[in-house]
Amino acid sequence: MKKFLSALFLLTIMATMAFAQANKMPTPEELAKKNVDELETRLKLSSTQKSVIYNYAYNLAKEQVTLMKKQQATGYNDEEVTKLYRLNNETNKNIKAVLKPEQAIEYDKIVEERLAGIDPKKKKKSKKGEEEEKIVGIEGLKSVKAGQP
């Protein structure tokens, strides 16, 4: 009986830990680091650019995490989301000011991909090895048949 209760207790603890990890919200540091690491790879940032952009990304991520926690506790608030969109636009503008002209062009592409929900690491390939064309915006919505994802 003791073995059964011990096993049940251990199983409960393991399930609780797994559940807690699955629902763990990322920290602002994790979000900012992930963002800056991608930008560093794609834009070939200097150490100074990386440092300045990290500060902007961290401030934005801090606000995002705060909003997510607030929404989980109290529900959706349009004003807070609008405030976050404004901060996001301001952050993008500040980041572009730090970049060289050719980096700014590539940064615009990165922002566009993020808005379209495109993950550059997971681009789908067609049977012929060519990239599948993504249709975004209203045309993309019109092209999807009812019941298709």
Side-chain angles (χ1 to χ4, degrees):
M1 183 68 173
K2 285 184 181 181
K3 287 184 181 180
F4 175 75
L5 289 176
S6 296
L8 182 63
F9 180 71
L10 183 60
L11 183 63
T12 304
I13 289 176
M14 288 175 31
T16 303
M17 288 175 55
F19 181 76
Q21 286 180 347
N23 290 329
K24 181 184 171 226
M25 189 177 301
T27 64
E29 293 85 5
E30 292 169 340
L31 290 172
K33 183 175 179 351
K34 181 181 175 187
N35 188 5
V36 172
D37 286 347
E38 179 190 355
L39 293 177
E40 180 183 29
T41 302
R42 293 193 54 191
L43 301 176
K44 313 284 189 267
L45 299 174
S46 70
S47 59
T48 304
Q49 287 175 318
K50 184 177 176 182
S51 175
V52 171
I53 291 172
Y54 177 84
N55 290 333
Y56 290 134
Y58 176 76
N59 289 333
L60 178 62
K62 193 168 50 171
E63 291 297 321
Q64 288 173 328
V65 169
T66 301
L67 178 63
M68 285 189 285
K69 287 179 181 178
K70 195 173 192 179
Q71 285 184 343
Q72 285 178 343
T74 62
Y76 184 82
N77 182 343
D78 281 337
E79 291 176 22
E80 293 291 328
V81 174
T82 302
K83 177 182 165 189
L84 188 63
Y85 282 135
R86 283 190 194 121
L87 181 61
N88 191 23
N89 289 336
E90 183 180 321
T91 301
N92 286 338
K93 186 173 74 173
N94 290 338
I95 289 173
K96 282 181 70 170
V98 173
L99 300 175
K100 296 175 186 172
E102 61 274 5
Q103 290 174 317
I105 292 168
E106 182 64 22
Y107 181 72
D108 286 337
K109 291 178 187 175
I110 293 169
V111 170
E112 189 67 33
E113 287 173 358
R114 289 177 180 175
L115 290 173
I118 299 171
D119 186 353
K121 297 175 191 170
K122 298 180 182 178
K123 285 188 178 178
K124 294 183 180 180
K125 303 278 181 174
S126 67
K127 292 180 183 177
K128 296 178 184 175
E130 298 174 1
E131 287 185 22
E132 186 177 295
E133 184 179 340
K134 294 254 183 200
I135 302 172
V136 295
I138 192 71
E139 294 304 317
L141 292 173
K142 289 179 182 178
S143 68
V144 177
K145 295 179 183 174
Q148 273 188 330

